[in-house]
Every structure is written in C-alpha cells, then in structure tokens.
Amino acid sequence: MLISPAYAQSATGAASSGGFAGFLSLAPLFLVFIVFYFLMIRPQQSRMKALQAAVAGVKKGDSVVTAGGLVGKVTRVEDTIVEVEIAPNVKVRVVKATLAEVTPLGGKPAND
C-alpha cells in the first residue's frame, strides 16, 4: 500500500547479507591486531625472556648496566642483590631486577 515492492525486496536482501558485511567491517581490525602481535609483542617477549635468563645467570666478573644508567663490574652476587663496582674502590648494591643489560666476562665490545 504505502511501500512499493522494490523497497520491500531490497530490505529483505540487505538483512540477509548483514552478517557477512559485519564480519568484513571487523576484518581490518583483526588484521591490524595480528600484524601488531607478530611485529611488536612477540619480539618484545623474546627479548624479555633473554634478559631474565641473563639476569638470573649473572655472576662475579660480568659487566652490567642498570636501568638508571650505571655501568660496572659485578663483585658479589646474592639472591636478589648484586654488588657492582662502578669505579675503583666504589661499590654499590643493586637490585637484580633493575639490571638492563648483562655482558659476560670476556665478551666482545659492541663496536668490534
């Protein structure tokens, strides 16, 4: 009566394809998340695992860099504390969790 048959047919067709159209509108979001995971999250997790293993295995004579930027040589290792010599006869106690880098004794310099 007030609605022509053409409008009634197009409304029925749009409702049946709405589920697929909804999925297609979310597909770019899923794609961005997948790319973000493989390019950012996964490499960061592997770097953190490597750092945690190095911090857990720190020993006397290793060269370390703290999160605060102190560079020194390990003189004593305890459970959660590391004593680091930052200058001749200047030793500081550092929490192991704050170590940002551990270079083993006899490691190659970064510029060689």
Side-chain angles (χ1 to χ4, degrees):
M1 291 100 75
L2 295 175
I3 299 175
S4 70
Y7 285 130
Q9 288 177 353
S10 66
T12 312
S16 66
S17 67
F20 185 68
F23 175 74
L24 284 180
S25 67
L26 291 177
L29 182 65
F30 291 132
L31 182 65
V32 166
F33 179 75
I34 291 169
V35 168
F36 185 75
Y37 176 77
F38 281 107
L39 293 180
M40 304 268 307
I41 297 172
R42 203 163 162 235
Q44 180 65 24
Q45 287 176 340
S46 65
R47 280 193 297 269
M48 286 304 297
K49 283 182 184 178
L51 177 63
Q52 287 174 350
V55 168
V58 69
K59 59 187 177 299
K60 184 177 178 180
D62 289 349
S63 177
V64 295
V65 178
T66 66
L70 293 176
V71 179
K73 188 175 184 180
V74 176
T75 57
R76 186 171 51 145
V77 179
E78 296 174 9
D79 289 339
T80 58
I81 304 289
V82 176
E83 189 173 272
V84 180
E85 184 175 20
I86 57 175
N89 296 326
V90 178
K91 297 178 182 177
V92 293
R93 292 174 50 137
V94 178
V95 176
K96 271 188 179 182
T98 62
L99 296 180
E101 184 180 334
V102 178
T103 307
L105 179 65
K108 290 179 64 174
N111 59 357
D112 283 346

